């Protein structure tokens, strides 16, 4: 993809993210209290930093697994079709599962993925997204936990990319074309 020049304006600081993750972790611990070992599923690649910070805040027994999905569509918006590129290594039947996503935008990805994972008969399937852009929603999906609701801006950092760049920013920034 041809890249237009852009700058990144900070939207959410690294400190705010860390503080919010602590709060989210307490809610997740309460929800899964008594579960023997939950399966924390990160959606590659955008969730890799979020899941790393989140699991270190969780006082729970966990396993970590990853799934990679792609949604057809253009560079900045997904479509209704979601395809699994890399599946989970482990089974989730009868297990308590927490799916970790970077952003819920149109909602297509999480709606399709959670519907699919439910066919594998987990005992419990919960979802968490670091970011949510409710104004962009095309299908009815709401994560059980959301870090921050944000306006309709294209964001990068903290694992999230624009054309594979800027994942290594320690904060969330918005892309502003110059
Ligand atoms: P949805 O299927 O439209 O909800 O899209 C979710 C996926 O689109 C996320 O997992 C991201 O990979 C990508 N996405 C949505 N908004 C942004 C953004 O602002 N920056 C980077 N990627 C985004
Ligand atoms: Mg993604």
């Amino acid at each position: 993809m041809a890249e237009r020049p852009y700058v990144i304006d900070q939207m959410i600081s690294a400190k705010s993210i860390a503080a919010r993750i602590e709060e989210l972790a307490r809610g997740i611990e309460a929800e899964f209290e008594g579960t023997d070992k939950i399966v924390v599923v990160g959606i590659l690649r955008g969730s890799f930093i979020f899941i790393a910070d989140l699991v270190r805040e969780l006082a729970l027994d966990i396993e970590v697994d990853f799934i990679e999905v792609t949604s057809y569509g253009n560079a900045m918006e997904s479509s209704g079709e979601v395809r699994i590129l890399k599946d989970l290594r482990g089974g989730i039947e009868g297990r308590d599962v927490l799916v970790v996503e970077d952003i819920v935008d149109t909602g297509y990805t999480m709606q399709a993925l959670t519907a699919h994972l439910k066919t594998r008969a987990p005992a419990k399937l919960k979802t968490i997204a670091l970011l949510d852009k409710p104004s962009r929603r095309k299908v009815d999906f709401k994560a059980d936990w959301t870090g921050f609701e944000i306006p309709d801006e294209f964001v990068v950092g903290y694992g999230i990319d624009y054309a594979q760049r800027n994942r290594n920013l320690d904060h969330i920034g918005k892309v502003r074309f110059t």
Side-chain angles (χ1 to χ4, degrees):
M1 176 185 34
E3 281 181 53
R4 293 157 60 196
Y6 63 94
V7 294
I8 299 167
D9 300 323
Q10 176 165 300
M11 181 187 269
I12 307 169
S13 70
K15 233 177 138 173
S16 310
I17 297 169
R20 183 69 183 123
I21 288 176
E22 284 188 31
E23 295 175 349
L24 294 165
R26 301 296 84 81
I28 293 165
E29 286 166 356
E31 174 66 38
F32 290 101
E33 195 189 350
T35 299
D36 183 32
K37 189 151 55 78
I38 72 171
V39 186
V40 183
V41 171
I43 304 180
L44 293 172
R45 285 169 266 179
S47 74
F48 80 106
I49 293 179
F50 181 38
I51 194 174
D53 282 346
L54 182 65
V55 296
R56 283 180 288 180
E57 271 303 323
L58 290 177
L60 292 170
D61 276 345
I62 65 148
E63 284 177 29
V64 173
D65 205 343
F66 291 96
I67 192 165
E68 184 171 9
V69 297
T70 186
S71 124
Y72 297 96
N74 62 37
M76 283 190 155
E77 183 173 323
S78 67
S79 75
E81 272 178 277
V82 173
R83 190 160 55 100
I84 295 177
L85 296 179
K86 181 218 164 289
D87 206 343
L88 298 173
R89 284 293 294 272
I92 57 168
E93 185 177 347
R95 306 289 303 275
D96 283 1
V97 178
L98 175 67
V99 178
V100 181
E101 172 63 312
D102 54 0
I103 308 181
V104 180
D105 185 35
T106 62
Y108 285 134
T109 304
M110 283 299 271
Q111 192 197 49
L113 181 62
T114 54
H116 172 75
L117 291 177
K118 280 177 186 163
T119 67
R120 301 184 188 182
K124 187 186 273 189
L125 186 83
K126 295 285 177 184
T127 56
I128 181 168
L130 178 67
L131 304 176
D132 189 350
K133 296 190 216 172
S135 66
R136 297 253 314 155
R137 202 69 94 252
K138 298 261 175 66
V139 288
D140 185 32
F141 178 85
K142 182 97 182 93
D144 295 296
W145 296 276
T146 297
F148 302 89
E149 288 197 354
I150 62 169
D152 182 9
E153 302 278 1
F154 196 82
V155 296
V156 292
Y158 199 72
I160 300 165
D161 74 301
Y162 173 43
Q164 299 309 325
R165 304 176 80 124
N166 311 122
R167 290 193 197 272
N168 56 329
L169 271 185
D170 71 353
H171 60 277
I172 298 288
K174 57 180 168 191
V175 168
R176 178 161 54 86
F177 293 103
T178 53

